[in-house]
Amino acid sequence: MTRFVESTITFPYKRSLGPVVGMFMTALTEQRILGIRNGTDVIVPPMEWDPATGAELAHDFVEVGPAGTVESWTWVPKPSAQHPLTHPFAFAFIRLDGATTPLLHAVDAGSASALSVGTRVAPRWKGTRIGHITDIDAFVLGETPEVAGPDHGPSETPVSMMEYQASITYNNPVPVAADRVVEASKAQRLLGQVCPVCARVYAGGRGYCPIDAVELGTEHEVDLPDKGTITNYALVTPVQYPGQTETEPFARVFVLLDGTDVILSYQPVIELAASDVHVGVRVAAVWASPAEDIDEGAAMGGAYGALIGWMPTGEPDHTDPDLVNRIF
Ligand SMILES: [Zn+2]
């Protein structure tokens, strides 16, 4: 059975809102929903520009709703961690009273059978509002707005910035060949695969030759040398974003394995200061001891399995000027 690894990338995102969206967000903290006039239309949420012509719109705001009519909807039976509600709900286009465009938001309807095109809904406000579209917790059935929990009132200052965490989770299958590479690393072996057609050698358990579209199996496995030369490198100065654990500049290097065309990319270095890293340094693989915890993840770039990095051998530098052209 195929093994999967789950990886989540999360990063903070901050943007200035500008005069129009800022006004909309500030009004949300006051439990008011604003649109903007565009000729005979009222656009909600308000935009700075006419979506049809790109012409700048006058800041002619109109309060709409708070109730509105469902124009179309889709039921979400199994909400994910990123959805606004933890139980089944609908995403709906809601035409707020007085608006000519629909607003996309969640409707907490209890069940799909409670919704139809034309259903009347009203906002359920959060008690604590920060100037974000989620200040509306969800829309509920009926004409009457609600507040969830104690009402902490509007923002004391106009809302000008918005922050949120962007997050995406990947669920990747791990190729059998990659698992074998990790297994071999525990015996301090660097496993490669040689293509029977073009004779190219691949490391990291790729499992196929991308040039010939040939699947590579156990019969194509070869042991690779555990010594090589740095052909390229990147020095990373860590930015202290949330979740960053590195504080000092560090290197990631590309290692050309001796006697092969195989280059391992983005490898960590050990006992080699970032300021001393240069093209031509001779290095040898460093393996975790059997007692150490190792990363069982997929072998795609970086250290993997029991291979934890590369350490200088102390040999003289490799001075071939063509080394810098060996990137991959
Ligand atoms: Zn090939």
Side-chain angles (χ1 to χ4, degrees):
M1 214 176 103
T2 307
R3 186 167 73 88
F4 284 80
V5 280
E6 187 179 289
S7 319
T8 299
I9 296 173
T10 304
F11 58 93
Y13 190 85
K14 185 174 188 173
R15 59 165 285 190
S16 59
L17 295 172
V20 171
V21 178
M23 187 73 96
F24 173 74
M25 294 301 186
T26 303
L28 289 181
T29 75
E30 300 160 351
Q31 299 185 39
R32 298 189 308 128
I33 305 171
L34 295 184
I36 195 166
R37 243 184 257 286
N38 178 24
T40 54
D41 286 343
V42 175
I43 301 171
V44 180
M47 303 177 80
E48 288 188 46
W49 319 93
D50 181 331
T53 67
E56 188 168 2
L57 298 177
H59 295 179
D60 187 2
F61 295 102
V62 187
E63 187 167 341
V64 297
T69 303
V70 170
E71 289 197 329
S72 66
W73 55 279
T74 185
W75 192 247
V76 181
K78 287 185 186 166
S80 77
Q82 290 173 296
H83 279 134
L85 298 175
T86 55
H87 54 267
F89 69 98
F91 274 123
F93 275 126
I94 301 158
R95 176 96 72 106
L96 295 169
D97 296 346
T100 54
T101 63
L103 173 76
L104 178 67
H105 215 294
V107 179
D108 192 2
S111 77
S113 59
L115 273 178
S116 54
V117 171
T119 299
R120 294 286 292 169
V121 292
R124 179 175 67 216
W125 299 96
K126 282 190 177 143
T128 302
R129 296 177 298 279
I130 57 170
H132 194 282
I133 191 65
T134 55
D135 284 357
I136 300 173
D137 187 41
F139 281 78
V140 293
L141 301 181
E143 301 287 337
T144 315
E146 301 173 1
V147 179
D151 187 352
H152 297 288
S155 173
E156 286 170 9
T157 52
V159 179
S160 60
M161 301 292 286
M162 184 173 73
E163 295 184 51
Y164 67 91
Q165 299 278 347
S167 176
I168 187 165
T169 297
Y170 295 90
N171 222 348
N172 284 319
V174 180
V176 174
D179 269 343
R180 288 181 54 78
V181 163
V182 170
E183 252 340 277
S185 76
K186 295 176 188 172
Q188 309 198 345
R189 290 172 59 210
L190 207 50
L191 206 58
Q193 289 176 309
V194 59
C195 172
V197 180
C198 68
R200 284 182 177 85
V201 180
Y202 299 100
R206 182 192 293 263
Y208 61 93
C209 172
I211 307 295
D212 300 299
V214 174
E215 213 173 321
L216 303 176
T218 54
E219 68 275 27
H220 304 113
E221 285 175 357
V222 288
D223 275 292
L224 297 171
D226 63 355
K227 276 188 187 168
T229 303
I230 294 177
T231 67
N232 213 295
Y233 61 93
L235 296 182
V236 182
T237 303
V239 173
Q240 296 308 306
Y241 53 77
Q244 170 65 274
T245 55
E246 300 290 344
T247 55
E248 299 302 319
F250 62 94
R252 287 286 181 267
V253 304
F254 288 43
V255 179
L256 171 63
L257 300 180
D258 288 353
T260 73
D261 285 326
V262 175
I263 292 182
L264 301 181
S265 57
Y266 300 107
Q267 300 292 301
V269 286
I270 292 163
E271 291 182 19
L272 177 59
S275 54
D276 292 337
V277 172
H278 56 272
V279 173
V281 178
R282 299 278 301 143
V283 289
V286 179
W287 306 96
S289 72
E292 284 178 77
D293 280 340
I294 63 165
D295 179 7
E296 297 273 354
M300 291 187 279
Y304 52 81
L307 174 64
I308 55 178
W310 297 79
M311 192 164 77
T313 62
E315 296 164 82
D317 283 0
H318 193 346
T319 54
D320 179 355
D322 209 31
L323 272 181
V324 291
N325 297 323
R326 305 296 304 271
I327 297 175
F328 286 109

